[in-house]
Amino acid sequence: MIRWQFQKKAKNKEAAYAFINFMLEPEHAAANADYVGYSTPVTKAKAFLPLEVANDERFYPDFSEVKGLEVYADLGPEKLSLYNELYLQLKMAKR
């Protein structure tokens, strides 16, 4: 679905694909993961990450653990809006 939207709405598809390919190069994927603080799906990028990150099972769990994880279902726009509103209320209550 995302690919379809990308192809339909992108004003400069060539540049968009070039950017995606750039970000998927291992060195760039590692730099991005380090910057945003998330893991990267680009396996070869781990070689460019600090060892304490690349070996951290919170970022890169063993596959046997991944099989038992759950994935969020698409909530749809109405439920997502409610979820965001409730989360905002929770954050504001903590102050």
Side-chain angles (χ1 to χ4, degrees):
M1 181 174 172
I2 293 172
R3 184 176 167 86
W4 175 82
Q5 290 173 348
F6 167 69
Q7 289 177 337
K8 185 170 181 128
K9 296 181 180 183
K11 292 180 182 173
N12 187 337
K13 292 178 188 175
E14 187 176 325
Y17 279 116
F19 176 73
I20 290 169
N21 289 334
F22 173 84
M23 293 302 293
L24 290 174
E25 291 178 14
E27 287 184 71
H28 302 141
N32 185 56
D34 185 51
Y35 178 76
V36 299
Y38 294 117
S39 59
T40 176
V42 181
T43 307
K44 292 181 180 180
K46 287 176 70 176
F48 297 96
L49 293 170
L51 285 178
E52 63 271 10
V53 173
N55 295 329
D56 191 329
E57 290 184 0
R58 293 173 296 176
F59 289 101
Y60 302 101
D62 184 78
F63 183 71
S64 62
E65 294 178 33
V66 173
K67 291 191 302 187
L69 299 177
E70 295 182 25
V71 177
Y72 289 108
D74 183 0
L75 299 175
E78 288 180 27
K79 294 285 187 187
L80 184 59
S81 178
L82 174 62
Y83 176 89
N84 288 336
E85 178 61 33
L86 292 172
Y87 183 68
L88 180 60
Q89 289 177 22
L90 174 69
K91 284 177 37 178
M92 297 306 288
K94 286 186 163 189
R95 289 183 176 197

